Amino acid sequence: MARQHQIRGFSLLEMMIVLLIIGIGAATIRVAVTKKDPLEPLEKNAYEFSGWLNRLTDDVLLRNRELGLFLPKQKLA
């Protein structure tokens, strides 16, 4: 009797792991090539907002007023 070979493919988990490894490698190469942190603008804006909010809080406490934050709706581009 001839032996039948069963053709087996990759499981979904194996494919997801391979894609994850490729994604991590691509992200690492991008950061190494550009030499610029992709989160730098976000961190700068967060730092500026934190400073603004701290100054506002100090001003409110010194003037014995209530603190509120109003964020106007902005249209997304």
Side-chain angles (χ1 to χ4, degrees):
M1 277 197 167
R3 235 183 187 182
Q4 290 183 355
H5 294 284
Q6 190 175 18
I7 299 175
R8 222 180 123 224
F10 295 107
S11 71
L12 181 60
L13 181 61
E14 291 169 333
M15 292 299 291
M16 289 176 65
I17 290 172
V18 169
L19 288 175
L20 177 68
I21 291 170
I22 291 171
I24 291 172
T28 303
I29 290 171
R30 180 186 180 275
V31 170
V33 169
T34 60
K35 303 275 188 207
K36 184 176 179 184
D37 185 10
L39 294 178
E40 187 176 325
L42 182 62
E43 290 173 348
K44 181 182 176 222
N45 287 342
Y47 181 75
E48 289 175 0
F49 180 75
S50 174
W52 174 79
L53 192 59
N54 285 336
R55 285 191 301 274
L56 180 64
T57 303
D58 290 344
D59 184 54
V60 166
L61 291 173
L62 289 172
R63 295 174 189 235
N64 198 20
R65 293 184 177 173
E66 291 185 17
L67 176 64
L69 182 62
F70 174 74
L71 298 174
K73 291 183 181 178
Q74 295 180 353
K75 293 182 181 179
L76 298 176

